[in-house]
Amino acid sequence: MSEKRYHLTKMDLVVMAVIGLASVAVLLAALFYPRAKGTFVQVTVAGEVVDVLPLSEDAVLEIEGVGGKNTLTISDGAAKMTDADCQDALCVRSRAIGQTGEQIICLPHQVICEIIGDEPQSLDVILS
């Protein structure tokens, strides 16, 4: 059996370096890109919005999820899942969220808590 050997050319090295630098630039931009401070936390259970709460007011919300309960605590402009009766309770180990787009998700109970900038407006749809 003959063994094939591949040799890198200077152009191969240049392409690899450009791809590497572009990857590092994208990573740094994602880490340091300033996100907007959120205004509300939107709570969704099984795809339906069940509550929208302002981050400016401290509150504790009991969420009746699919097959169990979660507790969401809002304080100091951030939301944190403080209790869940699911088996793994990964959502409870998540950090507090307060920036637009951040989420805490409880898969077993199908609960999503997402930070949004403005209160969502209901849409009236007329089907013809």
Side-chain angles (χ1 to χ4, degrees), residues 64-86:
E64 189 67 43
V66 175
K69 293 182 181 179
N70 295 63
T71 303
L72 182 70
T73 302
I74 301 171
S75 65
D76 300 325
K80 177 148 180 58
M81 196 72 72
T82 52
D83 191 32
D85 62 7
C86 54

Side-chain angles (χ1 to χ4, degrees), residues 43-96:
V43 180
T44 306
V45 176
E48 291 190 30
V49 176
V50 295
D51 215 339
V52 177
L53 300 167
L55 290 174
S56 59
E57 299 175 17
D58 292 353
V60 176
L61 177 65
E62 295 292 326
I63 305 165
E64 189 67 43
V66 175
K69 293 182 181 179
N70 295 63
T71 303
L72 182 70
T73 302
I74 301 171
S75 65
D76 300 325
K80 177 148 180 58
M81 196 72 72
T82 52
D83 191 32
D85 62 7
C86 54
Q87 187 174 6
D88 60 8
L90 288 174
C91 56
V92 176
R93 289 183 259 164
S94 298
R95 64 179 180 79

Side-chain angles (χ1 to χ4, degrees), residues 3-50:
E3 192 176 306
K4 285 189 175 181
R5 295 192 151 246
Y6 295 99
H7 298 284
L8 295 176
T9 64
K10 286 184 181 181
M11 186 54 91
D12 293 335
L13 294 174
V14 168
V15 168
M16 288 182 355
V18 167
I19 291 172
L21 288 173
S23 299
V24 169
V26 168
L27 177 65
L28 290 174
L31 289 174
F32 296 108
Y33 183 76
R35 289 188 177 191
K37 179 78 174 137
T39 310
F40 295 92
V41 60
Q42 175 177 283
V43 180
T44 306
V45 176
E48 291 190 30
V49 176
V50 295

